[in-house]
Amino acid sequence: QVQLVESGGGSVQAGGSLRLSCAAYGYTYSSNCMGWFRQAPGKEREGVAAIYTGGGSTYYADSVKGRFTISQDNAKNTVYLQMNSLKPEDTAMYYCAADEVGCGLGPALYNYWGQGTQVAVSS
């Protein structure tokens, strides 16, 4: 059973930082694409960042470039999302996802999803 477990969400004021973690169980970490997605109430799920775990290529949404950084720790089978200079519009449920074919920011490409971790940014 593939399992993705997110952690690190919380409430923060605008301009603050959070670091999200996604631990992967039940599949080969090095062969997967791992992505971070978010969904706010009334909005569609959108891709935030992704990383090809076998090679290290990264992808970012324009709205987070320069503020968010995705990284991996192969020894821990964990992917991180460092979020700096947070804005109220970053408020959403953040989901970790894994894909075995291709890599990018399209939610439909991903087969496995975590339960999500809430991020709330106040002004």
Side-chain angles (χ1 to χ4, degrees):
Q1 180 77 30
V2 174
Q3 185 178 14
L4 303 176
V5 181
E6 304 101 329
S7 62
S11 298
V12 65
Q13 291 187 330
S17 299
L18 286 172
R19 187 191 189 215
L20 306 184
S21 298
C22 175
Y25 306 92
Y27 65 96
T28 305
Y29 172 85
S30 62
S31 65
N32 287 320
C33 175
M34 303 292 295
W36 285 100
F37 298 80
R38 65 187 183 188
Q39 187 167 23
K43 296 185 177 181
E44 295 183 350
R45 187 170 298 185
E46 63 176 346
V48 176
I51 184 168
Y52 176 57
T53 58
S57 298
T58 57
Y59 310 83
Y60 294 97
D62 289 341
S63 60
V64 306
K65 286 182 179 178
R67 299 189 298 122
F68 292 9
T69 303
I70 188 170
S71 61
Q72 62 181 308
D73 185 336
N74 290 333
K76 297 181 178 180
N77 263 16
T78 300
V79 175
Y80 305 95
L81 184 67
Q82 179 66 47
M83 306 187 295
N84 298 324
S85 301
L86 284 162
K87 304 175 181 179
E89 49 262 47
D90 294 318
T91 296
M93 183 71 75
Y94 282 70
Y95 299 91
C96 177
D99 184 32
E100 295 182 354
V101 180
C103 196
L105 300 178
L109 298 175
Y110 292 78
N111 295 317
Y112 309 105
W113 296 83
Q115 292 297 310
T117 185
Q118 182 67 48
V119 171
V121 184
S122 62
S123 60

